[in-house]
Amino acid sequence: MIDIAETLRSLVAEHALALLFLNVLLEQAGLPIPAYPSLVVAGTLTVVRGDIPVALVFTLAVLACVVADTAWFFAGRRHGSWLMRGVCRVSLSPDSCIRKSTHFYRQIGPRVLLVAKFLPGAGALTTLMAGTAGTSLTRFVLFDAAGSAIWVASALMMGILFEDAVGALLALLAAYVVPGFIAILACFAAFLAWKWARRMQVVRRSHRVPRLRVQELKAMQSQGVPHVVVDVRPDLTGSEASIPGAIRLGLDAGPRELAALPADASVIVYCDCPSEVSAAYLAERIRAAGRPQVYALLGGISAWADDAPGDAVAQPARAA
C-alpha cells in the first residue's frame, strides 16, 4: 500500500526549489495558493539543511514574481478594463475589488508596487493597473522587482530568524501530514464559505434598491424628466468614459454632499461592478437622506456603453 505521507515528503524533498518557484508563480498569477508561508519555510530550510543557498531561493522567488507580474502588465495594456472587471467578478468581494485595488495606484502611482504584495488580493490587480495606466515597461519592472525582492526577503528572513519555531511546526506537520493537510483544506473551505455567505448577504440587500434600465434613463432624458446621474466609480486613470452630465460621488460621500442633490429630481446611480452593488449601496444612503426616487442603473456603465452611440459616452464625470 502506498504511504501517502512518505510520498509527499519525498516529492517535496526532491523538487523543493521547482515547487517553490511554481507556488510563487501561481500565487502571483492570481490563484488562491498562498506562497508566503512556503517562503518562510524555505528560509528555515536554508539554515537547517545547509545545502540550499538562500541566494538561489531568493532569486528564483523574485524571478517567479516578475514573470507572473509582467504577464499581467502586458494583459493590462491590451485588455485592462475588461480584465479588471473579469478578475473582480470572481472575487469574493467584487464590488470593492476594483475600488480598493486601484485606490493606492491612483494615489501613489507605480511606487505602490513596492508594497502591493503585502496587500491581500492587490498584487495582480495592481500590475493590471500599471499596464492599463500606461506605465513604461522599464519603470514597471524596476518597481516590481524591488517590491518582489522586499516581499521575498521578508519571508525568508522570518524563516531564518524563527528557525526553531518553524522547525518545530514542520516536525509536527511531518508527523501528521495527511490529517494536517485535510485540516488546512477544511479551514480554507470554511473561510470561503463564510466570505461567500457575506457576499450573498450584501447582494440580497442591494436588491432592495430598484433598478432602472438604460432605455428608461434615455426616455427620462429625452422627455425632460428632472433627474441627476451619479457616477460612483473610482477615478481609475483620469480618462474613464462616463454618462454625459453625470456627477461623481464616492461611496463615503458625506451628508452635505448627499443633501446637495436636487430634491425634485430622480437620482440614478451607476458603477462598474457586478450586481450594481456599489451603486445600490450609495443609492440606499441617498434614499436614507430623504430622496425617495433613487435607482441603481442596471448593468452600470457597461450597459450604457453597449447601448449608446459613440458620441453618447462622455469623458470623466465632474465631481459633485
Side-chain angles (χ1 to χ4, degrees), residues 53-96:
V54 66
L56 177 59
V57 175
F58 174 81
T59 301
L60 284 175
V62 171
L63 179 61
C65 290
V66 173
V67 169
D69 293 347
T70 302
W72 277 116
F73 173 80
F74 282 112
R77 276 193 171 181
R78 292 180 60 87
H79 310 288
S81 299
W82 179 81
L83 274 175
M84 190 77 68
R85 290 194 296 270
V87 170
C88 285
R89 196 173 296 276
V90 299
S91 167
L92 291 174
S93 302
D95 48 293
S96 62

Side-chain angles (χ1 to χ4, degrees), residues 10 62 85-86 93 102 135 183 206 217 224 247 311:
S10 299
V62 171
R85 290 194 296 270
S93 302
T102 59
T135 305
S206 77
L217 173 57
I247 63 174
D311 58 354

Side-chain angles (χ1 to χ4, degrees), residues 4-27:
I4 299 178
E6 184 59 35
T7 300
L8 288 174
R9 282 194 291 267
S10 299
L11 179 65
V12 172
E14 294 175 11
H15 307 285
L17 291 177
L19 289 173
L20 179 66
F21 180 88
L22 184 63
N23 188 185
V24 175
L25 183 70
L26 292 178
E27 190 213 34

